[in-house]
Amino acid sequence: MHLSDEEKAMLNGEFGKAKQWAIDHQIKVGEFFDAKDMVAVSQAHMMADPESVGDAGVDFIESIATAGGRVVIPMITDPRGVDLNHYRPLGQTEDMAMIERRFISACETIGIMMTNTCVNYQTIMPPLLGDHVAYGDTGVVIYSNSVCGARSNFEGGPSALAAGLTGRTPRYGLHLDQNRKATRRFQVTSQPTELTEWGILGAVIGRLAGSYWEVPVIEGIERVPTSDEIKHFGAAMASYGSIPLFHIIGITPEAPNLAAVSATELPVTKITDADLEALAGNFADKGEKPDVVVFAAPQLSIVEMEQVASLVNGQRLKLPMIVCTSPQAYGDARRMGFIDKIETAGGTVLEGTCFYNQYAREIGEANGWVRLLSNSAKIVNILGGYGYQPVLASMADCVAAAIHGEIVK
């Protein structure tokens, strides 16, 4: 790789051991992906929940802090694994909380902002068209690439940390123009109408595309989706297909028409009602009794928080209902009374966590939860691997089930 004089100095240890580790790590990643050089990034976003990093990960980030590592660009974090105000009632242990506390302390020493969110594009500082960033969370990356027009690969935790320390990342993958052209062309004939249907459509396209290196372009969407709708659409696509970038003709910024993304000659794959129904076959049937209702993955926006609070409508819940939101939306939701409505009904609102990366298996075992109901196609895709039997339903049907103790329609 071509290195600038500053990057060579980092590698020689002239800026300390932390940056020396960081640039060395980035060179190895770049050489693996045939990157020719580095590109400056404006932000980094790190996935590093305690369930995934464990004691070894905490030891490592503490060593970076002890070595004097300091980030040089705004660096933020994905959802945490423990809400320190709620971990005991959920069945999480003191060891889990201690790992979280140590990790937070080390990150703050390094200068990382503990924003704890996977919807930073809705709450903190959305990147702009053409903005190079180093993001980790799959939902964050696909939204930022596709909807904002920013440029990021899926950065693993160490790679995102390295980007924060050096202010750059290897220039490969989606940082290059040629890799942002469409490779698969899909035509939609049925219009999604609410969040779960957007998630199902994204999941179907993700499953059909099925590779990190594919870039779907979608035709036939007849109206501009809301930020929450396209959030669920992209999160499901990334979950089912490892997709980091999509285009929607006439809607997303890099795709005013097919020619702009080099898609005019691509063969068309139609998304049929049968495709959608096959995935939606996971819907629960009337009379089934879930153990828990979960709203998460992605974290809820302030708009979704208001919707859940309105659906509860002063009634008492018969099922546990977990609602995960960002710290930023949490403050507004508290101020506007949405959290009081949910908690008065018996629900639990978690701040800065997401259900699937907060020891979901251990929480399920501690509470006897197996049958899980959610409106998120992404979380339904993930939690089968954690011992759950997850099923999909709309937000309204999820809340109705929590109120009545069973699926009511």
Side-chain angles (χ1 to χ4, degrees):
M1 290 180 66
H2 171 75
L3 299 180
S4 68
D5 290 342
E6 184 180 6
E7 290 157 358
K8 290 176 182 174
M10 290 184 197
L11 187 60
N12 290 332
E14 296 175 28
F15 294 93
K17 291 184 179 300
K19 281 195 178 185
Q20 186 180 36
W21 164 80
I23 197 72
D24 179 65
H25 174 85
Q26 292 183 307
I27 291 169
K28 290 173 179 171
V29 172
E31 289 176 344
F32 182 85
F33 287 106
D34 296 326
K36 289 183 169 53
D37 59 5
M38 302 281 181
V39 58
V41 291
S42 64
Q43 301 180 48
H45 177 269
M46 180 172 63
M47 285 193 71
D49 55 87
E51 180 184 0
S52 58
V53 302
D55 285 322
V58 176
D59 291 344
F60 172 73
I61 200 156
E62 286 176 337
S63 74
I64 294 293
T66 302
R70 292 284 298 179
V71 296
V72 295
I73 56 174
M75 182 161 183
I76 57 180
T77 51
D78 215 35
R80 310 304 314 146
V82 177
D83 179 338
L84 293 171
N85 295 317
H86 278 290
Y87 67 96
R88 291 191 184 94
L90 284 176
Q92 293 175 314
T93 66
E94 287 298 329
D95 285 344
M96 296 173 186
M98 184 52 66
I99 290 175
E100 184 69 70
R101 293 188 186 99
R102 286 176 55 200
F103 193 84
I104 292 170
S105 176
C107 285
E108 289 177 341
T109 299
I110 295 169
I112 298 169
M113 294 182 280
M114 303 304 296
T115 54
N116 306 344
T117 180
C118 63
V119 294
N120 55 300
Y121 48 82
Q122 290 184 314
T123 57
I124 299 174
M125 191 162 67
L128 300 180
L129 177 65
D131 195 2
H132 291 271
V133 295
Y135 285 174
D137 179 278
T138 54
V140 172
V141 170
I142 194 169
Y143 190 104
S144 299
N145 272 321
S146 310
V147 182
C148 302
R151 297 181 170 217
S152 181
N153 295 308
F154 290 142
E155 300 277 10
S159 292
L161 175 61
L165 292 168
T166 67
R168 61 205 77 202
T169 195
R171 193 195 306 266
Y172 72 96
L174 295 175
H175 293 287
L176 302 173
D177 290 343
Q178 62 265 32
N179 294 327
R180 302 183 67 85
K181 298 175 182 176
T183 63
R184 294 288 305 271
R185 182 175 169 184
F186 295 95
Q187 192 171 81
V188 173
T189 54
S190 295
Q191 300 299 310
T193 59
E194 52 83 44
L195 298 178
T196 307
E197 292 182 3
W198 279 96
I200 291 170
L201 178 59
V204 168
I205 293 172
R207 181 174 282 174
L208 289 170
S211 167
Y212 176 83
W213 301 108
E214 298 284 6
V215 179
V217 59
I218 298 104
E219 302 171 88
I221 298 295
E222 295 177 350
R223 68 169 174 85
V224 177
T226 67
S227 176
D228 284 331
E229 288 170 339
I230 207 164
K231 174 178 73 172
H232 279 263
F233 177 73
M237 193 186 302
S239 179
Y240 281 79
S242 299
I243 304 295
L245 167 66
F246 64 84
H247 303 294
I248 302 178
I249 295 302
I251 293 176
T252 56
E254 295 177 68
N257 51 55
L258 287 170
V261 290
S262 304
T264 53
E265 302 300 322
L266 292 175
V268 176
T269 300
K270 290 192 175 182
I271 305 298
T272 66
D273 289 344
D275 293 326
L276 301 172
E277 290 168 3
L279 195 136
N282 283 331
F283 274 104
D285 293 327
K286 183 177 180 179
E288 288 187 21
K289 299 181 184 302
D291 296 320
V292 61
V293 174
V294 171
F295 292 110
Q299 292 173 328
L300 274 65
S301 69
I302 188 64
V303 174
E304 291 172 294
M305 291 297 292
E306 191 275 337
Q307 291 167 344
V308 172
S310 296
L311 288 166
V312 169
N313 194 28
Q315 301 180 77
R316 188 70 188 169
L317 306 181
K318 292 182 179 178
L319 295 178
M321 187 172 81
I322 308 295
V323 181
C324 297
T325 190
S326 68
Q328 301 77 33
Y330 186 94
D332 282 342
R334 175 67 76 188
R335 179 170 54 85
M336 288 184 267
F338 304 153
I339 291 176
D340 286 345
K341 289 181 180 177
I342 296 169
E343 291 183 337
T344 299
T348 300
V349 179
L350 300 180
E351 176 184 357
T353 66
C354 197
F355 190 83
Y356 77 90
N357 64 359
Q358 59 178 56
Y359 303 94
R361 181 184 299 280
E362 290 82 354
I363 291 174
E365 291 172 351
N367 293 280
W369 295 337
V370 176
R371 292 164 297 180
L372 180 145
L373 189 66
S374 179
N375 74 331
S376 165
K378 175 178 178 177
I379 208 167
V380 166
N381 185 43
I382 293 171
L383 286 179
Y386 283 77
Y388 289 88
Q389 297 171 10
V391 290
L392 271 171
S394 69
M395 176 187 285
D397 289 347
C398 286
V399 174
I403 292 170
H404 295 280
E406 63 180 29
I407 307 295
V408 293
K409 61 180 178 180

